[in-house]
Amino acid sequence: MGCAPSIHVSQSGVVYCRGSDEPSSPQQSAAVSQGAAALHGLFVKTEAADSIPAVLAYRSRQPPPPCAGPRHKERGPARARVPHCCGIEPETQTSSAGRQQASATEVQIGPMRLTQDPIQVLLIFAKEDNQSDGFWWACDRAGYKCSIARTPKSALECFLDKQQEIIVIDHRNSRYFDGEDICRSIRATKPSEHTVILAVVPRISADQEETSVVPLLNAGFDRRFMENSSITACYNELIQIERGEVRSQFKLRACNALFTALDHCQEAIEITSEDRVVQYVNPAFERMMGYHKGELIGKELIEIPKSVKNCADLSDSINTFIKKGKEWQGVYYTNRKSGDSIQQHVKITPVIGQGGKIRHFVSLKRLRCTNENNKQLCKSHHDKKCTGDNSQSESHSFKCKNRRKDSVDVKSITSQSSDAPSLQTRQYSSMARIHSMTIEAPITKVINIINAAQENSPITVAEALDRVLEILRTTELYSPQLGTKDEDPHTSDLVGGLMTDGLRRLSGNEYVFSKNMNLSHSHLSVPNTISDVPPCIAQLLDNEESWDFNIFELEAVTNKRPLVYLGLKVFGRFGVSEFLNCSEATLRAWLQVIEANYHSSNSYHNSTHAADVLHATAFFLGKERVKGSLDHLDEVAALIAATIHDVDHPGRTNSFLCNAGSELAVLYNDTAVLESHHTALAFQLTAKDSKCNIFKNIDRNHYRTLRQAIIDMVLATEMTKHFEHVNKFVNSINKPMASEETSSHSEGSDCECTANRKNFPDNQTLIKRMMIKCADVANPCRPLELCIEWAGRISEEYFAQTDEEKRQGLPVVMPVFDRNTCSIPKSQISFIDYFITDMFDAWDAFAHLPVLMQHLANNYKHWKTLDELKCKSLRLPSENNNRHKRKTNRPLDPPVSL
């Protein structure tokens, strides 16, 4: 089979087919003449045109035969094509051995998944040569669509038509055209924003000096390619561009969709840099604030006028919070351009960028329609949204109603019931009666309000409310979702051991721990009154109002009986005997009985822990805001609850007792087993003997109220509802308090939020629960020496439980607490991260506890340092050399192998 004929047009207009000796037929001549006219835009029109033959032959582009030399061995299979310009598609037909066009590529940008079409390349070469051939066949190998243009005009037209991702411009010789001029003309167009332009420059000899790329970059080129006609070299260059600049530009183009979404979002959005310089505001923000974006972008937030109605330190508090990488939301006053002050719901989210650092802050702002300015602004926004085609509104409403298949619309159900079978009619009417019931649970009311709000909401809001309903219908509303156990085994084991009741009982495993129910007084001597205590104990107790009070020193000098002595001092300070109308002797006897029923054999859950919790509770009760929120009965209940909260604790967790099938787990149905036992036993012990019955002289109503408060507080120490208690406190106490303080400050009056809270018994209950919870686990907030001692004690108790689980063949509740492998620093870090930090942040915001928070930060740093150094001791070597060794009931550092 001969060569494919090439076309030759003579000056006289006669058309020949090279490869054939005879002229073409008139019809062929006409067709080719028309084609030549179409191709005329490719011809060069410059001063150098005279040097170009008046007749250009366009040959079939075929790779040279293999015998042509080593360079041609890398060429692809023979493939005929006609060079084409703008408006003429390249011939993509291939022989049976030809390559197929590349398929679309999936690209991920954040959570967004994109599909990238095959790459298009534009070659701009005045003359066909080995270099243009090299790029042509490189495109063929990569599966790219390739176009070729000969003149600046045709190149620009072709680019505007196809908008190729890669442009290769011949910049080796300015005889035919100026490559930099072509580049500038393309860069002047909007589509070129995301195009990569490559300059082909002549190869330099070894003795020539390397030229600068700056002129090329200034002209608009992105890269420089040293002349090399090797197909592989051209292919490598194109592939690198595709995987690098082209893919990056493709992702940037996708951001246009995100900006479009932001522009049409109804919430005001502001994006700032890490230095709080405004980078973007959407139209909703412009409408709300009255500014044009050009007046804001590039300015620091401190340059924009602020409202004087905010607390003086609110901005500093927000900045401190968000710069820790935490999301902040709350109410904030700001000034519009007109000077009007408006109140906004604000949510500020830090965005982590390169280097793991915060690079942006995204603020979402919504108006609070509380004052006149806000109401007028809300009304104007609402009027704007309501204007428009009524048919569109009706259609939109219809879509909202029909889209929510899972939500129940009573009106639509009853209106359709006539067309339904009788059974369905009865079901629908029953559902309607349920929704019209006068006795409704609060959650039912909430769901009904949300369902009603959905009907007239925009589709985006309706969808968000659907998600809210899904969350409200779940059983775990307050517990956060943990990652997999492999990600953080320490946290997973802590949660499994402390926040669940464990697995169900295994047959044959009946565990009964020995109870130490001492119903009579101990024979150990105790003081008749607080004034009778030995001087060494009295000297220690002089410091009991300080947070840094050393409970272990009291434990040592009282022979492990600190609860009686500290109890007498604290109860006397708060007037407990006077409130209960009982003698000091009765109170002393009661404290003695309670302490005798704590197990001194426990490493952690003994009377020293009870005394420590009592001390923390008394400290919290002394804080002004707590004192102003509770009455005397609440204070007495809190002190008694702290004293009894772990009485007769077996040194094992609830999960262990449930798995072992203990008597207590059976008695309390595997629910809050120990906490229920502590309160029940404490009241049993109190009522058993008149000599220690501290409640015998108060009236029945006071007793019932006091008893209920004590039970509620002790049950709050059970960890399965930890996050429920914390979140309720934040939502019912912290947030309203912050809002009231902001409003009070702006109005120039004293804050009355504490007095308001005191009027609500439910809020008092939340405060008492939070107080005893914080007191119960305040060890990480104690001075470092005390914190280390408590960490060693609780770890030893968990080690003993793991040992016993293994001996009895029970499920191991907390596998990381194996004394041979456990890292106590890691366990402390997990406990602080998961349980302590957020809870004490909330409690500190209410009670103002700077000393505790400083200790917490120092202790966390200590554990982090030990973890990084993989120390086997609970202290750094320097601390071990200098620390004072106390005599306690066990070594401070248990034998732990990390």
Side-chain angles (χ1 to χ4, degrees):
M1 186 174 180
C3 272
S6 61
I7 302 168
H8 182 83
V9 186
S10 72
Q11 292 183 0
S12 60
V14 180
V15 181
Y16 294 93
C17 289
R18 184 163 298 176
S20 173
D21 295 332
E22 297 179 0
S24 303
S25 66
Q27 291 82 0
Q28 291 174 324
S29 299
V32 175
S33 298
Q34 185 178 358
L39 294 172
H40 189 266
L42 298 179
F43 293 173
V44 180
K45 297 181 180 179
T46 67
E47 294 179 356
D50 294 337
S51 64
I52 301 175
V55 178
L56 291 179
Y58 283 83
R59 296 168 297 163
S60 303
R61 185 179 295 273
Q62 292 187 2
C67 61
R71 183 176 66 84
H72 299 127
K73 289 183 180 179
E74 61 183 1
R75 293 193 181 275
R79 165 180 172 172
R81 75 156 176 99
V82 177
H84 60 282
C85 68
C86 172
I88 301 180
E89 285 287 336
E91 184 181 338
T92 57
Q93 298 295 324
T94 61
S95 64
S96 58
R99 304 176 191 276
Q100 298 296 323
Q101 181 179 309
S103 59
T105 306
E106 282 198 350
V107 179
Q108 196 87 11
I109 173 171
M112 192 174 182
R113 180 173 293 179
L114 313 170
T115 301
Q116 185 176 14
D117 293 331
I119 303 299
Q120 296 187 83
V121 179
L122 173 60
L123 306 179
I124 305 176
F125 284 80
K127 292 176 61 179
E128 178 183 325
D129 60 5
N130 288 336
Q131 187 63 71
S132 63
D133 283 355
F135 275 110
W136 177 273
W137 291 109
C139 292
D140 178 65
R141 178 186 293 184
Y144 300 160
K145 294 180 179 179
C146 185
S147 304
I148 187 167
R150 302 298 187 193
T151 67
K153 180 181 178 181
S154 59
L156 186 59
E157 291 174 353
C158 192
F159 172 69
L160 293 175
D161 178 43
K162 300 184 182 300
Q163 299 184 14
Q164 291 89 346
E165 289 85 0
I166 302 174
I167 298 177
V168 181
I169 300 178
D170 186 4
H171 193 49
R172 295 170 295 172
N173 195 332
S174 60
R175 180 183 180 188
Y176 305 121
F177 52 63
D178 189 328
E180 293 185 9
D181 286 344
I182 295 178
C183 183
R184 289 191 185 93
S185 64
I186 292 175
R187 283 295 183 210
T189 64
K190 178 66 175 174
S192 70
E193 180 184 1
H194 301 294
T195 297
V196 180
I197 304 180
L198 176 71
V200 179
V201 299
R203 183 182 299 276
I204 61 173
S205 59
D207 57 344
Q208 285 182 299
E209 185 179 352
E210 179 77 20
T211 58
S212 172
V213 297
V214 173
L216 294 177
L217 296 175
N218 291 338
F221 287 102
D222 297 289
R223 293 171 69 98
R224 182 186 69 176
F225 180 79
M226 202 73 71
E227 182 179 9
N228 188 342
S229 59
S230 164
I231 295 177
T232 300
C234 297
Y235 173 82
N236 290 341
E237 181 71 13
L238 293 175
I239 287 294
Q240 290 180 74
I241 294 174
E242 180 203 354
R243 300 292 175 86
E245 290 99 322
V246 170
R247 191 157 295 178
S248 298
Q249 293 290 351
F250 178 69
K251 292 179 180 180
L252 287 175
R253 284 203 304 273
C255 292
N256 290 332
L258 302 179
F259 281 113
T260 301
L262 293 175
D263 286 346
H264 291 83
C265 180
Q266 294 179 359
E267 286 187 314
I269 298 174
E270 173 189 66
I271 301 176
T272 64
S273 68
E274 66 270 31
D275 299 321
R276 308 297 276 148
V277 175
V278 180
Q279 298 173 318
Y280 169 85
V281 293
N282 68 341
F285 187 94
E286 295 178 89
R287 290 193 297 271
M288 178 187 290
M289 300 300 297
Y291 287 98
H292 184 269
K293 63 183 178 181
E295 300 174 275
L296 297 173
I297 293 177
K299 283 190 175 182
E300 294 187 30
L301 288 184
I302 58 174
E303 299 178 39
I304 301 172
K306 297 289 188 301
S307 173
V308 296
K309 292 187 176 182
N310 295 310
C311 292
D313 59 347
L314 180 58
S315 294
D316 293 337
S317 300
I318 294 173
N319 287 331
T320 301
F321 198 80
I322 62 178
K323 285 182 178 178
K324 293 180 181 178
K326 295 184 178 181
E327 185 179 84
W328 183 89
Q329 56 180 328
V331 177
Y332 191 82
Y333 283 94
T334 189
N335 283 346
R336 303 186 73 235
K337 184 179 180 181
S338 61
D340 296 335
S341 179
I342 57 174
Q343 196 176 26
Q344 301 170 321
H345 285 289
V346 180
K347 180 196 284 186
I348 305 176
T349 304
V351 180
I352 306 300
Q354 188 177 8
K357 298 180 180 179
I358 297 172
R359 300 298 182 183
H360 307 278
F361 294 101
V362 177
S363 302
L364 276 69
K365 304 183 179 185
R366 288 185 292 110
L367 282 173
R368 286 191 75 194
C369 295
T370 53
N371 57 34
E372 284 304 314
N373 289 337
N374 283 29
K375 287 177 181 177
Q376 291 176 7
L377 203 54
C378 286
K379 185 177 185 303
S380 66
H381 283 191
H382 178 73
D383 292 342
K384 288 179 182 178
K385 286 188 284 185
C386 289
T387 56
D389 191 290
N390 290 333
S391 63
Q392 290 182 351
S393 300
E394 292 173 2
S395 173
H396 171 74
S397 176
F398 176 80
K399 285 190 287 186
C400 285
K401 292 179 182 178
N402 287 275
R403 178 183 51 75
R404 296 188 297 276
K405 297 179 181 178
D406 297 333
S407 56
V408 178
D409 183 350
V410 178
K411 293 181 181 179
S412 62
I413 287 174
T414 53
S415 65
Q416 296 169 4
S417 60
S418 59
D419 299 326
S422 58
L423 176 61
Q424 287 182 315
T425 303
R426 288 197 298 273
Q427 290 174 338
Y428 291 149
S429 60
S430 297
M431 181 63 70
R433 286 198 301 274
I434 289 172
H435 280 266
S436 63
M437 289 171 63
T438 56
I439 302 175
E440 283 186 308
I443 190 64
T444 306
K445 294 180 179 178
V446 170
I447 291 174
N448 288 343
I449 291 170
I450 292 174
N451 278 328
Q454 281 183 306
E455 295 307 320
N456 297 316
S457 299
I459 192 165
T460 52
V461 176
E463 288 173 348
L465 291 176
D466 272 341
R467 178 62 182 143
V468 171
L469 290 172
E470 289 175 15
I471 295 171
L472 289 177
R473 291 184 178 113
T474 62
T475 56
E476 295 296 333
L477 294 177
Y478 294 95
S479 297
Q481 299 296 314
L482 278 178
T484 63
K485 187 176 177 66
D486 293 336
E487 292 175 1
D488 190 352
H490 287 83
T491 301
S492 297
D493 284 357
L494 278 171
V495 174
L498 300 178
M499 294 189 64
T500 67
D501 289 326
L503 304 174
R504 295 290 71 105
R505 290 185 294 277
L506 303 180
S507 58
N509 290 323
E510 294 297 324
Y511 175 80
V512 181
F513 64 89
S514 59
K515 296 188 288 293
N516 182 27
M517 294 179 60
N518 296 309
L519 301 182
S520 61
H521 300 303
S522 170
H523 296 293
L524 296 174
S525 61
V526 294
N528 291 325
T529 65
I530 190 61
S531 58
D532 296 335
V533 300
C536 60
I537 298 177
Q539 186 176 0
L540 282 175
L541 291 176
D542 286 342
N543 193 40
E544 59 89 13
E545 294 186 39
S546 167
W547 179 253
D548 294 345
F549 176 71
N550 194 323
I551 195 67
F552 298 116
E553 292 181 357
L554 184 63
E555 177 192 62
V557 298
T558 59
N559 194 23
K560 301 181 186 179
R561 294 173 57 84
L563 186 58
V564 170
Y565 291 93
L566 183 66
L568 284 172
K569 181 71 182 292
V570 170
F571 279 43
R573 179 155 61 91
F574 282 89
V576 175
S577 295
E578 291 80 0
F579 179 85
L580 296 175
N581 193 25
C582 71
S583 65
E584 191 172 337
T586 302
L587 179 62
R588 182 184 68 247
W590 179 79
L591 286 169
Q592 186 179 1
V593 169
I594 295 298
E595 183 158 39
N597 280 275
Y598 276 94
H599 299 190
S600 60
S601 58
N602 290 343
S603 300
Y604 182 86
H605 288 99
N606 49 40
S607 67
T608 303
H609 168 64
D612 184 64
V613 175
L614 174 62
H615 171 265
T617 302
F619 181 83
F620 293 152
L621 286 172
K623 308 306 290 184
E624 286 301 321
R625 187 168 277 163
V626 179
K627 190 186 303 183
S629 302
L630 304 177
D631 53 31
H632 200 186
L633 184 146
D634 294 317
E635 294 177 348
V636 172
L639 295 173
I640 294 174
T643 304
I644 70 167
H645 84 282
D646 271 337
V647 67
D648 196 37
H649 196 293
R652 302 291 182 265
T653 64
N654 280 334
S655 297
F656 178 94
L657 299 181
C658 294
N659 287 335
S662 71
E663 291 179 357
L664 288 181
V666 174
L667 177 63
Y668 294 111
N669 300 313
D670 293 348
T671 304
V673 175
L674 286 172
E675 292 72 24
S676 300
H677 174 62
H678 301 323
T679 50
L681 178 62
F683 281 100
Q684 288 174 3
L685 293 172
T686 304
K688 191 76 174 180
D689 190 342
S690 177
K691 293 180 181 178
C692 64
N693 189 350
I694 58 176
F695 304 125
K696 60 185 178 183
N697 294 328
I698 60 175
D699 65 70
R700 183 182 301 274
N701 289 335
H702 270 136
Y703 173 72
R704 288 174 63 87
T705 304
L706 188 66
R707 170 177 160 81
Q708 188 57 49
I710 294 168
I711 293 172
D712 184 83
M713 291 181 73
V714 175
L715 291 181
T717 63
E718 197 251 338
M719 295 299 288
T720 60
K721 293 188 176 180
H722 169 81
F723 292 101
E724 178 177 346
H725 293 317
V726 173
N727 279 283
K728 284 182 177 179
F729 183 85
V730 169
N731 291 319
S732 299
I733 305 296
N734 288 142
K735 290 182 179 179
M737 180 181 72
S739 178
E740 289 173 16
E741 287 181 343
T742 301
S743 300
S744 175
H745 178 81
S746 65
E747 294 167 7
S749 60
D750 294 334
C751 179
E752 299 178 355
C753 49
T754 302
N756 293 336
R757 280 193 303 278
K758 190 173 180 179
N759 295 328
F760 295 98
D762 287 348
N763 286 353
Q764 290 179 315
T765 299
L766 294 178
I767 293 170
K768 289 182 290 185
R769 288 175 182 171
M770 193 70 163
M771 177 169 61
I772 196 169
K773 281 181 63 62
C774 290
D776 189 28
V777 292
N779 307 333
C781 299
R782 292 290 187 179
L784 180 59
E785 276 299 312
L786 307 185
C787 172
I788 292 173
E789 174 69 14
W790 285 123
R793 291 190 176 199
I794 190 62
S795 299
E796 177 58 35
E797 196 165 288
Y798 287 160
F799 294 158
Q801 174 172 311
T802 300
D803 293 342
E804 185 168 357
E805 287 167 335
K806 291 179 179 178
R807 284 197 304 271
Q808 295 196 22
L810 295 172
V812 178
V813 175
M814 294 182 284
V816 296
F817 282 98
D818 185 313
R819 66 176 68 250
N820 298 314
T821 58
C822 179
S823 167
I824 294 179
K826 280 188 183 298
S827 68
Q828 287 296 304
I829 291 168
S830 295
F831 184 67
I832 292 171
D833 283 340
Y834 198 74
F835 292 104
I836 297 300
T837 302
D838 289 342
M839 181 170 71
F840 272 89
D841 279 344
W843 185 236
D844 173 55
F846 174 75
H848 188 58
L849 306 163
V851 176
L852 279 72
M853 302 310 289
Q854 185 60 52
H855 283 319
L856 177 60
N858 293 340
N859 296 340
Y860 188 79
K861 182 179 179 181
H862 171 80
W863 296 123
K864 276 286 191 181
T865 303
L866 286 178
D867 183 43
E868 291 167 1
L869 296 176
K870 300 188 183 301
C871 287
K872 294 184 178 181
S873 170
L874 295 184
R875 295 174 177 82
L876 294 169
S878 59
E879 295 170 340
N880 277 325
N881 293 334
N882 300 326
R883 72 183 178 89
H884 173 69
K885 296 182 179 179
R886 301 186 192 88
K887 293 181 180 180
T888 60
N889 62 322
R890 61 166 192 82
L892 286 177
D893 293 329
V896 180
S897 174
L898 302 182

